[in-house]
Amino acid sequence: MSYFIEVVLPLSLSKTFTYEVSETEFDFIKIGMRVAVPFGRSKIYTALVIGLHNDRPLQYDAKQIHEILDHEPIVNEIQIAHWQWIASYYMCGIGDVYRSALPSAFLLENETMISLQRNAVIESESLPDDQFLIWQALQQQSTLKVHDIVAILNKKQIFPIVQKMIDDGIVVLQDEISEIYKPKLVRYVRLVPQFATNDRLEILLHELRNAEKQKQVILAYFSRSAINASITVQQLVEASGATVAVIKALIDKGIFEEYHLQHDRVVFDADQSRESPQLSEAQLVTYHKITHEFGTRPTVLLHGLTSSGKTEIYIKVIEGFLAKGKQVLYLLPEIALTTQLVSRLVAYFGNQVAVFHSKYNNNERVEVWRNVLSRSEKARVVIGARSALFLPFDRLGLIIVDEEHEQNFKQSDPAPRYHARDAAIVLANMHEAKVLLGSATPSIETYYNAQSGKYGLVELTERYGNVMMPDIELVDLKDKYFRKKMSGHFSDTLLEHITDALALGEQVILFQNRRGYSPVIECMTCGNVPNCMQCDVSLTYHKHKNQLRCHYCGYMTVKHTHCQVCSSVDLMTKGFGTEQIQQELVELFPTARIGRMDQDTTRGKFGFEKIIDGFKNRETDILVGTQMLAKGLDFDNVTLVGIMNADNMLYHPDFRALERSFQMMTQVAGRAGRSEKKGKVIIQTYNPVHNTIQQVTRNDYEGMYTEQLYERKIYKYPPYYKMIRLTLKHRDFDKLNAGAVWLYEVLNQTLNIPVLGPEEPVISRIRNEYIRQILIKIPPDYPLQGTKKTIRKILDSFEAVAQFRAIKTIVNVDFY
């Protein structure tokens, strides 16, 4: 009898592959283990076992596996079922999901090793210089990696040289699988046992009477060892005031011996846990309503005002699930939010809290993964961005999706293009767990599901501590410019309120959803605007670095002193970003401390923490930022929020523009007056009578929801219709157009539903690839999975046409 395993490869492939194993391997391997398998001519990949069987594949000869990498499964069967659902629903390969879900440290690297051919007779004198250097290095060590040869030759193009040596029989290639994850080892010291007695210790101290620093180290060791049996080298250095060299001298003398212990890289203080939060009467009523709703529905929406104390309610709900021995997943849309939330949750749950997101390095993510897998006490509450959804939970009781309306929950590139909120609800269903969605401005789809009874709905209509909602004042920019009451981009009204807030020692947040200094630089003589060489978009001016940058492909160039077309020096910036606001503030308020929070200032691992902690500790007076500021951050001394230009968002060519504008402005406004001081919000706009802006001033979510729902029904948009967007990309404009028209016509003839396009998007060329989009609207009474299978067959036919094979096709389900 033959034995086979079914595996998933970390490649963009929809199908699984069959490999042959021995009977012993078959008995040892479990679903969820990793195996190294050969694929193609010479590559070795880390595959995941998802099935064991005795059926020989009919279309190809099954290869033998290379080696088994795990002793126990690192992925459980619920995870695999969830990945398969994501691959099916979002129309991507299971390999895409596998590659995205596992920390890359688990996907072992395939490193090509080069070694000398055995028994080969080589005349080294006759070798060309490059080949001689490689041969000489292989005399010193048995194998070289590709990057070693690059370093030796100081050349990037080394493959022709290596290939020539292989052809001449001088060297051979061999593939080696290397484990990327390295555990963190911490150096400890202990006294050699023979010095443990009092007599020996006295003799030792006498011998060291002239080595005062070494004596201090030994005395510090004993004072620390009375409290803690194991002492790290770092702790001993701090306690004694000596250097590492002094401790090394004691090790060399045989007085101390060193050893290493494995540590987690991210550790939260266990001693901080405190009593459960004291809820207000309104919060307590809300908490009881949520627990009641969980009795009848697995998913509940908590619709609470900004600053109504939703986090305290979450903590109370989490306590109940932890008491039952369950795991809790707390999803956030933005890594910036985890900074504040971790400190709040650690205060209640101590070291039961783990954090998982992309700013953590490989090793840190592997440790969190292993802690969740082993049901460790250190990972009973996991806080993370959308990728935390893929962790190996097996006792999941609750998923909290905070700020559920945020578009950051939707993965855009690369595949799988999943929505974390929707995928979380499916995952919870597989675990028979509960889902709590929270937002002050829920997405229209979620609120529609709550109104129709699919989800439970709990409303919290008062702010915590009866804090008043902020006053919202509209400033008409047309009128202010006409009356010459503008200083740069600041109206006199906004400047007056900033001055008052600073005089009272209060803090200010200013919102402008565009980074950089200016989105456009225009020649006032000929009208030329510098554009990106690879994209159909103007270059954004970043004054701090004197650069023009493309925010789509990363292309950058120095800002020219004159026009590249007519050589005029009369260049003018149009529009404004956060950098320009910051510079104007420095001139208007020279004594104020001004900070900026956008993608440019938060690139480092702790970029968010530095800015948020600095602002919370009142080291910054005015914080200018983009949409990062709108997401649930809590600053108690902020009394004024200014929205520099509300019109940018309103006129975006997107069916969700008005919904998103309402959400963004309401969320930004919610940062003001979160303690006993009443807040003020100034919204600068050219259109103060716009319906959406009026709804923001009245905090009228119901009005916005009803109006948008009416329009969505008429024009066949979600939540009534499901949508799939097909994006086609190619460098050849004519070939792309021909392919897009062919695909549209086949879809239109085959599917008896609305198909729109092929259309140029707003930016029709990125990275030298032209773009076309086709939109498919699926009615509510139409079979969703059947339609997707039909679309997949049509796409397979499209790829089979020789002239269209080079066109990239991207499928994005529920792209909104």
Side-chain angles (χ1 to χ4, degrees):
M1 185 186 284
S2 299
Y3 299 93
F4 300 95
I5 57 170
E6 206 65 26
V7 302
V8 177
L9 290 168
L11 302 169
S12 188
L13 299 167
S14 298
K15 57 193 248 184
T16 58
F17 292 86
T18 307
Y19 283 83
E20 192 168 1
V21 291
S22 66
E23 186 178 353
T24 313
E25 289 171 330
F26 188 83
D27 292 336
F28 178 77
I29 290 172
K30 297 185 184 80
I31 289 173
M33 281 185 173
R34 294 171 305 155
V35 289
V37 297
F39 188 76
R41 288 186 178 177
S42 59
K43 288 283 184 187
I44 294 174
Y45 287 103
T46 304
L48 188 79
V49 179
I50 63 163
L52 297 99
H53 56 84
N54 303 105
D55 306 325
R56 186 177 291 279
L58 301 174
Q59 295 176 324
Y60 56 89
D61 292 329
K63 292 180 179 179
Q64 295 277 345
I65 66 167
H66 191 280
E67 61 179 304
I68 301 169
L69 299 172
D70 296 310
H71 295 292
E72 291 293 330
I74 62 160
V75 170
N76 61 44
E77 294 193 33
I78 292 179
Q79 275 179 289
I80 293 168
H82 187 232
W83 297 357
Q84 287 168 332
W85 176 84
I86 288 174
S88 165
Y89 185 85
Y90 291 103
M91 297 177 71
C92 61
I94 183 76
D96 288 320
V97 188
Y98 167 47
R99 186 178 56 207
S100 176
L102 244 65
S104 54
F106 279 135
L107 302 174
L108 309 188
E109 286 186 338
N110 179 46
E111 295 189 334
T112 303
M113 308 292 287
I114 291 129
S115 56
L116 283 173
Q117 178 75 273
R118 283 183 189 171
N119 307 321
V121 179
I122 300 161
E123 292 180 11
S124 56
E125 298 80 17
S126 62
L127 292 175
D129 289 352
D130 289 339
Q131 293 186 23
F132 178 80
L133 287 171
I134 296 170
W135 175 82
Q136 194 177 37
L138 285 168
Q139 300 298 313
Q140 310 298 322
Q141 58 189 80
S142 57
T143 56
L144 290 174
K145 292 178 184 174
V146 169
H147 62 80
D148 293 335
I149 296 176
V150 170
I152 290 164
L153 301 183
N154 199 21
K155 286 183 179 178
K156 288 186 178 177
Q157 297 295 326
I158 58 133
F159 288 103
I161 301 162
V162 174
Q163 190 60 52
K164 181 77 171 71
M165 294 180 79
I166 292 165
D167 294 344
D168 294 343
I170 300 167
V171 298
V172 290
L173 292 186
Q174 61 189 70
D175 275 327
E176 181 186 276
I177 290 285
S178 67
E179 179 76 80
I180 304 172
Y181 171 67
K182 290 182 175 65
K184 180 184 177 183
L185 297 175
V186 176
R187 277 176 76 202
Y188 282 79
V189 290
R190 58 188 165 217
L191 202 64
V192 174
Q194 70 189 64
F195 294 112
T197 64
N198 288 338
D199 298 341
R200 289 292 297 145
L201 186 60
E202 281 181 27
I203 295 166
L204 174 63
L205 291 171
H206 182 72
E207 286 173 1
L208 294 175
R209 62 186 182 279
N210 295 325
E212 191 58 38
K213 287 185 179 177
Q214 293 180 13
K215 192 174 166 183
Q216 288 296 326
V217 169
I218 294 195
L219 291 170
Y221 173 82
F222 275 101
S223 64
R224 286 302 297 246
S225 63
I227 306 164
N228 190 353
S230 47
I231 299 170
T232 67
V233 170
Q234 187 61 36
Q235 286 170 341
L236 198 53
V237 166
E238 288 168 6
S240 65
T243 61
V244 178
V246 176
I247 296 170
K248 186 177 183 302
L250 288 167
I251 294 167
D252 293 342
K253 285 181 178 179
I255 297 166
F256 277 147
E257 59 184 7
E258 69 174 328
Y259 61 103
H260 292 81
L261 290 179
Q262 188 173 326
H263 273 221
D264 282 353
R265 285 175 167 79
V266 183
V267 181
F268 296 114
D269 191 353
D271 302 328
Q272 284 186 295
S273 55
R274 65 182 189 217
E275 292 300 308
S276 116
Q278 294 301 309
L279 301 185
S280 68
E281 196 175 324
Q283 286 176 317
L284 208 55
V285 169
T286 305
Y287 167 69
H288 289 308
K289 281 183 182 174
I290 290 168
T291 50
H292 174 72
E293 286 287 345
F294 276 153
T296 53
R297 294 184 183 88
T299 304
V300 174
L301 168 64
L302 171 56
H303 179 205
L305 295 176
T306 54
S307 191
S308 57
K310 293 188 287 291
T311 308
E312 278 70 26
I313 297 171
Y314 297 153
I315 289 168
K316 190 78 176 167
V317 175
I318 289 169
E319 279 179 349
F321 282 91
L322 292 183
K324 297 174 190 170
K326 297 288 189 180
Q327 295 167 309
V328 176
L329 172 60
Y330 195 133
L331 287 179
L332 291 160
E334 187 82 64
I335 295 167
L337 278 179
T338 60
T339 306
Q340 272 205 338
L341 189 77
V342 168
S343 57
R344 288 172 77 176
L345 262 64
V346 168
Y348 291 108
F349 303 115
N351 67 349
Q352 297 182 85
V353 177
V355 181
F356 189 88
H357 56 62
S358 58
K359 283 276 168 88
Y360 273 20
N361 64 36
N362 263 324
N363 293 328
E364 288 165 345
R365 277 185 274 176
V366 167
E367 280 165 9
V368 175
W369 185 285
R370 292 196 192 282
N371 283 338
V372 174
L373 188 65
S374 62
R375 304 176 190 169
S376 166
E377 286 292 310
K378 298 174 191 168
R380 295 189 66 198
V381 180
V382 178
I383 305 171
R386 57 176 181 257
S387 55
L389 201 62
F390 295 118
L391 286 165
F393 299 101
D394 74 338
R395 286 185 181 174
L396 190 62
L398 172 70
I399 302 177
I400 293 172
V401 185
D402 197 12
E403 309 293 348
E404 66 79 29
H405 63 277
E406 279 294 342
Q407 63 203 71
N408 289 31
F409 279 125
K410 172 71 176 174
Q411 164 92 350
S412 52
D413 275 309
R417 295 174 180 84
Y418 65 99
H419 197 297
R421 179 195 62 216
D422 301 341
I425 291 168
V426 173
L427 179 66
N429 186 40
M430 291 175 173
H431 280 277
E432 297 180 358
K434 307 295 183 187
V435 180
L436 182 55
L437 308 173
S439 177
T441 52
S443 68
I444 282 174
E445 292 79 22
T446 301
Y447 201 69
Y448 177 77
N449 283 333
Q451 293 284 13
S452 61
K454 187 175 177 183
Y455 301 162
L457 175 61
V458 178
E459 310 238 26
L460 181 56
T461 54
E462 65 177 61
R463 284 183 135 192
Y464 183 71
N466 289 322
V467 173
M468 299 285 288
M469 290 295 287
D471 289 331
I472 299 177
E473 184 178 337
L474 299 180
V475 173
D476 185 349
L477 288 175
K478 281 199 306 286
D479 181 61
K480 292 292 181 186
Y481 273 113
F482 179 73
R483 295 175 188 277
K484 296 188 168 48
K485 291 189 174 180
M486 296 292 291
S487 301
H489 294 95
F490 291 84
S491 62
D492 59 343
T493 311
L494 181 54
L495 286 176
E496 192 180 309
H497 281 97
I498 293 173
T499 307
D500 292 347
L502 294 178
L504 294 168
E506 295 162 359
Q507 291 171 293
V508 179
I509 285 177
L510 296 176
F511 173 76
Q512 169 63 5
N513 205 17
R514 178 176 277 152
R515 64 191 172 100
Y517 184 86
S518 163
V520 173
I521 285 188
E522 185 180 0
C523 171
M524 302 311 289
T525 306
C526 71
N528 177 59
V529 173
N531 281 332
C532 176
M533 296 169 71
Q534 305 176 83
C535 312
D536 281 342
V537 66
S538 63
L539 293 171
T540 302
Y541 175 40
H542 287 253
K543 191 170 187 176
H544 174 61
K545 293 190 173 176
N546 197 37
Q547 285 177 341
L548 295 174
R549 267 193 233 163
C550 173
H551 288 174
Y552 289 86
C553 70
Y555 168 79
M556 61 180 73
T557 179
V558 70
K559 177 187 175 278
H560 302 292
T561 52
H562 58 273
C563 174
Q564 297 297 288
V565 175
C566 70
S567 299
S568 166
V569 293
D570 189 9
L571 303 178
M572 192 170 179
T573 60
K574 296 285 179 79
F576 62 102
T578 50
E579 204 179 309
Q580 190 167 343
I581 296 298
Q582 186 184 22
Q583 185 180 312
E584 287 182 11
L585 282 168
V586 169
E587 292 167 8
L588 291 164
F589 301 99
T591 58
R593 296 163 299 177
I594 296 153
R596 176 160 58 95
M597 183 172 171
D598 55 30
Q599 205 176 322
D600 298 322
T601 60
T602 56
R603 291 192 188 279
K605 182 174 178 180
F606 299 108
F608 294 115
E609 281 93 328
K610 284 175 188 168
I611 294 169
I612 290 167
D613 290 347
F615 195 59
K616 193 161 183 67
N617 297 334
R618 306 186 184 185
E619 293 162 14
T620 307
D621 299 317
I622 305 174
L623 185 59
V624 184
T626 57
Q627 61 183 8
M628 290 177 185
L629 288 174
K631 298 173 184 175
L633 295 168
D634 183 25
F635 304 113
D636 56 7
N637 193 41
V638 172
T639 55
L640 177 65
V641 167
I643 297 174
M644 299 305 297
N645 190 335
D647 305 315
N648 288 355
M649 303 173 274
L650 291 170
Y651 303 114
H652 197 63
D654 175 16
F655 76 94
R656 299 194 70 159
L658 298 183
E659 179 196 353
R660 291 249 164 88
S661 299
F662 178 89
Q663 288 167 341
M664 190 77 77
M665 284 189 270
T666 304
Q667 290 286 344
V668 174
R671 301 314 107 211
R674 295 175 73 92
S675 59
E676 65 277 358
K677 302 169 187 170
K678 185 163 182 175
K680 181 87 179 172
V681 180
I682 307 289
I683 300 178
Q684 297 190 152
T685 172
Y686 285 98
N687 191 358
V689 295
H690 192 287
N691 210 12
T692 303
I693 291 177
Q694 289 296 322
Q695 285 159 354
V696 172
T697 60
R698 299 192 302 268
N699 198 33
D700 183 13
Y701 176 81
E702 289 285 342
M704 185 278 295
Y705 169 75
T706 308
E707 180 189 314
Q708 289 301 304
L709 207 61
Y710 173 74
E711 291 190 359
R712 302 269 180 101
K713 193 165 189 175
I714 293 173
Y715 298 113
K716 299 178 180 175
Y717 280 108
Y720 298 102
Y721 278 61
K722 290 276 185 187
M723 292 173 73
I724 298 174
R725 184 174 68 198
L726 305 179
T727 305
L728 290 85
K729 296 181 179 182
H730 198 270
R731 287 171 176 258
D732 186 318
F733 183 83
D734 296 328
K735 187 180 280 189
L736 177 69
N737 269 347
V741 169
W742 185 96
L743 185 58
Y744 164 76
E745 285 176 353
V746 174
L747 286 165
N748 204 27
Q749 288 163 15
T750 312
L751 302 170
N752 192 23
I753 54 176
V755 180
L756 309 178
E759 193 58 61
E760 280 189 26
V762 179
I763 295 162
S764 60
R765 181 176 64 107
I766 295 175
R767 292 189 179 90
N768 279 330
E769 289 182 318
Y770 293 97
I771 305 169
R772 290 293 176 274
Q773 290 179 340
I774 296 171
L775 212 58
I776 302 164
K777 296 183 177 180
I778 304 173
D781 55 350
Y782 220 70
L784 191 59
Q785 275 312 103
T787 307
K788 286 177 182 174
K789 282 178 183 171
T790 308
I791 293 168
R792 175 48 64 199
K793 282 179 187 170
I794 293 169
L795 289 172
D796 290 342
S797 306
F798 177 73
E799 285 166 15
V801 178
Q803 71 189 88
F804 303 145
R805 198 169 291 145
I807 296 175
K808 282 186 208 164
T809 312
I810 295 165
V811 183
N812 202 338
V813 178
D814 298 348
F815 60 89
Y816 42 86

